[in-house]
Short mmCIF file of all heavy atoms in Angstrom, two decimals:
data_model
loop_
_atom_site.label_atom_id
_atom_site.label_comp_id
_atom_site.label_asym_id
_atom_site.label_seq_id
_atom_site.Cartn_x
_atom_site.Cartn_y
_atom_site.Cartn_z
N THR A 129 -56.80 -53.31 -43.62
CA THR A 129 -55.41 -53.75 -43.68
C THR A 129 -55.39 -55.18 -44.20
O THR A 129 -56.37 -55.92 -44.07
CB THR A 129 -54.74 -53.71 -42.29
OG1 THR A 129 -55.41 -54.64 -41.43
CG2 THR A 129 -54.78 -52.31 -41.69
N PRO A 130 -54.28 -55.59 -44.81
CA PRO A 130 -54.22 -56.97 -45.32
C PRO A 130 -54.50 -58.01 -44.23
O PRO A 130 -55.20 -58.99 -44.47
CB PRO A 130 -52.79 -57.09 -45.84
CG PRO A 130 -52.40 -55.70 -46.18
CD PRO A 130 -53.08 -54.83 -45.16
N ALA A 131 -53.98 -57.80 -43.02
CA ALA A 131 -54.19 -58.77 -41.95
C ALA A 131 -55.65 -58.82 -41.51
O ALA A 131 -56.22 -59.90 -41.36
CB ALA A 131 -53.30 -58.43 -40.75
N SER A 132 -56.28 -57.65 -41.33
CA SER A 132 -57.68 -57.65 -40.90
C SER A 132 -58.58 -58.16 -42.01
O SER A 132 -59.59 -58.82 -41.76
CB SER A 132 -58.12 -56.26 -40.44
OG SER A 132 -58.05 -55.32 -41.48
N ARG A 133 -58.21 -57.90 -43.27
CA ARG A 133 -59.01 -58.38 -44.40
C ARG A 133 -58.86 -59.89 -44.59
O ARG A 133 -59.79 -60.56 -45.02
CB ARG A 133 -58.55 -57.64 -45.66
CG ARG A 133 -59.57 -57.54 -46.73
CD ARG A 133 -59.19 -56.62 -47.88
NE ARG A 133 -57.80 -56.58 -48.24
CZ ARG A 133 -56.99 -55.54 -48.00
NH1 ARG A 133 -57.46 -54.47 -47.40
NH2 ARG A 133 -55.74 -55.56 -48.37
N SER A 134 -57.69 -60.42 -44.24
CA SER A 134 -57.47 -61.86 -44.45
C SER A 134 -58.35 -62.70 -43.54
O SER A 134 -58.58 -63.87 -43.82
CB SER A 134 -56.00 -62.20 -44.21
OG SER A 134 -55.69 -62.13 -42.84
N ARG A 135 -58.86 -62.13 -42.48
CA ARG A 135 -59.74 -62.87 -41.57
C ARG A 135 -61.20 -62.83 -42.01
O ARG A 135 -62.06 -63.44 -41.41
CB ARG A 135 -59.61 -62.31 -40.15
CG ARG A 135 -58.23 -62.56 -39.55
CD ARG A 135 -58.18 -62.13 -38.11
NE ARG A 135 -58.30 -60.70 -37.93
CZ ARG A 135 -57.27 -59.86 -37.86
NH1 ARG A 135 -56.05 -60.30 -37.97
NH2 ARG A 135 -57.48 -58.57 -37.68
N ILE A 136 -61.48 -62.09 -43.08
CA ILE A 136 -62.86 -61.93 -43.54
C ILE A 136 -63.12 -62.88 -44.71
O ILE A 136 -62.34 -62.96 -45.64
CB ILE A 136 -63.13 -60.47 -43.96
CG1 ILE A 136 -63.00 -59.54 -42.76
CG2 ILE A 136 -64.50 -60.34 -44.60
CD1 ILE A 136 -63.11 -58.08 -43.10
N VAL A 137 -64.22 -63.61 -44.63
CA VAL A 137 -64.66 -64.47 -45.73
C VAL A 137 -65.88 -63.80 -46.33
O VAL A 137 -66.95 -63.78 -45.73
CB VAL A 137 -65.03 -65.88 -45.22
CG1 VAL A 137 -65.51 -66.74 -46.37
CG2 VAL A 137 -63.86 -66.51 -44.51
N ALA A 138 -65.70 -63.20 -47.50
CA ALA A 138 -66.78 -62.43 -48.11
C ALA A 138 -67.51 -63.25 -49.16
O ALA A 138 -66.96 -64.17 -49.75
CB ALA A 138 -66.20 -61.17 -48.75
N ASP A 139 -68.76 -62.90 -49.39
CA ASP A 139 -69.56 -63.49 -50.45
C ASP A 139 -69.12 -62.83 -51.75
O ASP A 139 -69.47 -61.69 -52.03
CB ASP A 139 -71.04 -63.23 -50.17
CG ASP A 139 -71.95 -63.80 -51.24
OD1 ASP A 139 -71.45 -64.45 -52.17
OD2 ASP A 139 -73.17 -63.57 -51.13
N THR A 140 -68.33 -63.54 -52.56
CA THR A 140 -67.73 -62.93 -53.75
C THR A 140 -68.76 -62.50 -54.78
O THR A 140 -68.55 -61.54 -55.49
CB THR A 140 -66.71 -63.88 -54.41
OG1 THR A 140 -67.37 -65.12 -54.68
CG2 THR A 140 -65.52 -64.10 -53.51
N LYS A 141 -69.88 -63.19 -54.88
CA LYS A 141 -70.91 -62.77 -55.83
C LYS A 141 -71.47 -61.42 -55.44
O LYS A 141 -71.65 -60.54 -56.26
CB LYS A 141 -72.06 -63.80 -55.85
CG LYS A 141 -71.66 -65.13 -56.39
CD LYS A 141 -71.58 -65.08 -57.88
CE LYS A 141 -71.34 -66.48 -58.41
NZ LYS A 141 -70.70 -66.50 -59.66
#
Side-chain angles (χ1 to χ4, degrees):
T129 64
S132 63
R133 205 171 34 252
S134 72
R135 293 186 293 268
I136 296 174
V137 179
D139 179 4
T140 55
K141 294 283 187 206

